[in-house]
Amino acid sequence: MTAVAPISTKPGGPTKSGAAGRSSALSYLVALPFLVFVGIFLVYPTILVLAGSFQDSSGAFTFQNLTDLTKGVYLQAFIRSVELSALTALIGAVFGALLAWAVAVGKPEGLLRRIVVAASGVLAQFGGVPLAFAFLATVGFQGFVTQFLRDNVGIDLFAGSAWLFELPGLTLVYTFFQIPLMVIVFLPALDGLRPQWREATASLGGTSWTYWRHVGGPILVPPFLGALLLLFANAFSAYATAAALVSQGSPIVPLQIRGFLTGEVVLGQENLGKALGLGMVVIVSIAMGVNVLLQRRMSKWVR
Amino acid sequence: MGSLTKRRVLRTIILLVLGFYFLLPLFAMGEFSTRGVNDTRSLDSWAQITQDPDLVDAIITSLELSITSSVLMLVILVPTMAWIRLRLPKLQRLVEFLCLLPLAIPAIVLVVGMAPLYAWVNYFFGDSALTLTFAYTVLVLPFAYRAIDAGLSAIDLKTLAEAARSLGASWLTVLLKVVVPNIRTALIGAALLSVALVLGEFTIASLLNFDTLQVQVNLLGKRNAGVSIAVSLLCLLFAFVLLFALSYVGQRRRQTVVEE
């Protein structure tokens, strides 16, 4: 009892109520360093890109940059980027979902699951340049598989062309971070499938097929589509792996932007690089936005 | 029973096929980086890692950056996020939006806007590669935000803070002695993710012309593929060890919650 009474009349009490008036203004001060930092290093560069897309080299307003995007090499780069992203998203989603399933039916705290999840995290988020070199070591001109096939099977991987450094090669490399990303994104959805649903299907006479066709499948469709969009956005934004592999030419949009930053720019077109950036942001935002909508739908079931 | 064995067979096939698909490049990297002259094996490429002064400098720079970026991230994110839960719920949505924004803006686009900004940064802070700390702190925001947010959601922050305040603790004491120890594992998780991300970052460093680990690896690959492949393998393995350790950090938190 004696211990309780003093606490309520401690100095902390009055000062707190006294500070209440000032607190609303003062309390924003605590958030200020964060807001200032993010304002300078995230919001400002973003605005610079978005605003620059609508300016000519003298700073006057123009739609010219955006209309240029719909022509020639830039349009082609966008089409190639979308194709590459869509194709690798599809491959990644299918094989990633299978791998996630193979992991999900195992022990939840098992070693296999830990290894697969950790390795997926590495490849999906931090692969970048090392992934490009992994490929040179495997199927590059002097790669392990290239040499093995040439010496033992008599197949020359590069008989047709230097495909590793063009779109087919990029497709192959991209699956190495797309499949792992799918594992990370899709695993929670699979974990959300309750064993009781399977048991209920079985006790009503349903087979494994009935379960996937009428219960598990329909529940997994929204998260699968959401993951597909996320994978698309991921491949679309990826730069490091492609930049390390392709040093000549700019088949995809991120490499086009590299050209503008490293000085291969026609005079008077400086802001075209920003317009390319705006185009990327728009496409990524659409994919992410639809993904958020699908996730809301999913959260009704999984959890 | 029949469907159960079928399931097991299917699972084994998937694991074997995809396991082979992902382990083959790793094996090839090991093979390639240990090639000697005339079909012999040699560890020359691995030994050269420590003998190339540019590469060693770049590794040190990247390690320093991973520390400075993690620290800056924690310093600006933890007080803000805790404070917003306690006193400023109005800002919750804005802060979440800002932290997740880098997911919608590819690094290659962000660097376009950062290039002119870094002309100023280098004017004020010198042109050390450590100025990349600012850019990297932005890049790690989404990952760090999610980790810290999960940590703060798992504790009863309001009650803990009120208890500490009613005993006369200052807000700084609440932050350092109540909030931080309680979300320790989330902070370790956020820091490890940041370290892994910074060590693997290439886009911004290369286009702002700073010599970090990945930039050097890429440059080196043009004249000595063996060393680049050895370093790449090392990077992948190091990141794997970090994330593998992370999976145990998360687990320990779950266990202590159960014990309590």
Side-chain angles (χ1 to χ4, degrees), chain B residues 89-100:
Chain B
K90 261 185 277 177
L91 284 186
Q92 173 86 37
R93 296 218 136 210
L94 175 71
V95 170
E96 182 178 10
F97 171 78
L98 288 173
C99 284
L100 298 184

Side-chain angles (χ1 to χ4, degrees), chain A residues 27 41 102 109 114 142 175, chain B residues 11 21 35 83 114 254:
Chain A
S27 63
F41 288 98
E109 298 282 335
R114 276 180 204 286
Q142 298 298 323
T175 62
Chain B
R11 177 170 186 248
Y21 188 66
R35 280 182 196 170
W83 187 251
M114 276 191 176
R254 249 171 279 141

Side-chain angles (χ1 to χ4, degrees), chain A residues 7 10 16 23 27-28 30-31 34-35 37-38 40-46 48-49 95 98-99 101-103 105-106 109 111-112 114-115 118-119 121-123 125-127 129-130 133-134 136-138 142-145 147 172 175-176 179-180 198 208 237 239-240 243-244 247 254 257-258 261-262 273-274 277 280-281 284-285 288, chain B residues 3 7 10-11 14-15 18 21-22 24-25 27-29 31-32 35 72 76-77 79-80 83 87-88 90-91 94-95 98-99 101-106 108-117 121 134 137-138 141 143 166-167 193 196-197 200 202-203 206-207 214 217-218 221 228-229 232 235-236 239-240 243-244 247-248 251 254:
Chain A
I7 290 174
K10 252 210 168 312
K16 213 158 91 184
S23 73
S27 63
Y28 281 93
V30 179
F34 169 83
L35 293 175
F37 176 81
V38 171
I40 294 175
F41 288 98
L42 176 61
V43 178
Y44 175 70
T46 307
L48 218 55
V49 172
F95 288 100
L98 286 174
L99 184 56
W101 171 80
V103 171
V105 294
E109 298 282 335
L111 189 63
L112 175 79
R114 276 180 204 286
I115 291 175
V122 173
L123 292 173
Q125 282 155 349
F126 317 112
V129 175
F133 281 101
L136 291 177
T138 315
Q142 298 298 323
F144 170 69
V145 173
Q147 285 191 342
L172 188 61
T175 62
F176 272 77
I179 295 175
R198 192 181 256 281
S208 196
S237 326
Y239 168 79
S247 50
I257 296 180
R258 168 176 72 176
L261 282 168
T262 50
K274 291 175 186 154
M280 285 190 76
V281 171
V284 170
S285 301
M288 298 295 250
Chain B
S3 83
R7 192 146 57 121
L10 185 62
R11 177 170 186 248
I14 292 172
L15 288 175
L18 286 175
Y21 188 66
F22 280 97
L24 183 64
F27 175 80
M29 288 170 102
E31 192 275 337
F32 197 111
R35 280 182 196 170
L72 183 61
I76 65 163
L77 218 45
T80 311
W83 187 251
R87 305 293 293 272
L88 284 174
K90 261 185 277 177
L91 284 186
L94 175 71
V95 170
L98 288 173
C99 284
L101 190 59
L103 292 180
I105 301 165
I108 179 73
V109 178
L110 202 57
V111 75
V112 173
M114 276 191 176
L117 183 64
V121 169
F134 301 121
T137 303
V138 167
L141 277 182
F143 305 94
S166 70
L167 292 169
L193 278 177
L197 198 117
F202 172 75
T203 309
S206 89
L207 291 170
Q214 302 298 337
V217 168
N218 184 43
S228 279
I229 287 167
S232 295
C235 289
L236 291 176
F240 175 78
L243 293 200
F244 190 68
S247 78
Y248 283 94
Q251 186 193 22
R254 249 171 279 141

Side-chain angles (χ1 to χ4, degrees), chain B:
Chain B
M1 273 309 177
S3 83
L4 206 67
T5 24
K6 234 191 287 172
R7 192 146 57 121
R8 208 166 283 160
V9 171
L10 185 62
R11 177 170 186 248
T12 315
I13 292 174
I14 292 172
L15 288 175
L16 282 179
V17 170
L18 286 175
F20 178 77
Y21 188 66
F22 280 97
L23 288 178
L24 183 64
L26 279 186
F27 175 80
M29 288 170 102
E31 192 275 337
F32 197 111
S33 62
T34 54
R35 280 182 196 170
V37 270
N38 298 328
D39 279 339
T40 54
R41 296 281 123 196
S42 109
L43 286 173
D44 267 4
S45 297
W46 288 86
Q48 278 178 38
I49 294 177
T50 52
Q51 286 159 11
D52 185 327
D54 288 345
L55 185 59
V56 173
D57 280 352
I59 292 174
I60 292 171
T61 303
S62 280
L63 287 174
E64 286 172 351
L65 273 172
S66 68
I67 295 169
T68 53
S69 306
S70 303
V71 170
L72 183 61
M73 174 274 290
L74 290 175
V75 167
I76 65 163
L77 218 45
V78 177
T80 311
M81 287 178 68
W83 187 251
I84 277 167
R85 276 176 178 262
L86 287 171
R87 305 293 293 272
L88 284 174
K90 261 185 277 177
L91 284 186
Q92 173 86 37
R93 296 218 136 210
L94 175 71
V95 170
E96 182 178 10
F97 171 78
L98 288 173
C99 284
L100 298 184
L101 190 59
L103 292 180
I105 301 165
I108 179 73
V109 178
L110 202 57
V111 75
V112 173
M114 276 191 176
L117 183 64
Y118 260 76
W120 286 102
V121 169
N122 294 335
Y123 176 76
F124 284 114
F125 297 93
D127 57 0
S128 153
L130 289 182
T131 51
L132 275 176
T133 302
F134 301 121
Y136 286 176
T137 303
V138 167
L139 282 195
V140 303
L141 277 182
F143 305 94
Y145 176 84
R146 282 182 184 156
I148 296 172
D149 192 51
L152 286 173
S153 303
I155 62 171
D156 190 352
L157 185 63
K158 273 225 157 86
T159 311
L160 288 173
E162 272 164 23
R165 289 289 288 165
S166 70
L167 292 169
S170 70
W171 284 113
L172 192 67
T173 315
V174 172
L175 180 71
L176 293 178
K177 299 222 164 131
V178 177
V179 177
V180 169
N182 271 296
I183 58 168
R184 193 177 61 237
T185 47
L187 298 183
I188 295 172
L192 283 182
L193 278 177
S194 308
V195 168
L197 198 117
V198 170
L199 291 182
E201 210 284 329
F202 172 75
T203 309
I204 291 184
S206 89
L207 291 170
L208 293 180
N209 294 316
F210 289 113
D211 276 338
T212 60
L213 172 60
Q214 302 298 337
V215 175
Q216 271 301 322
V217 168
N218 184 43
L219 213 61
L220 203 60
K222 306 251 188 298
R223 49 173 211 271
N224 191 342
V227 180
S228 279
I229 287 167
V231 181
S232 295
L233 184 55
L234 216 54
C235 289
L236 291 176
L237 292 177
F238 185 70
F240 175 78
V241 170
L242 277 186
L243 293 200
F244 190 68
L246 192 62
S247 78
Y248 283 94
V249 169
Q251 186 193 22
R252 217 175 328 139
R253 184 178 64 211
R254 249 171 279 141
Q255 277 174 351
T256 46
V257 169
V258 172
E259 277 165 23
E260 278 157 11

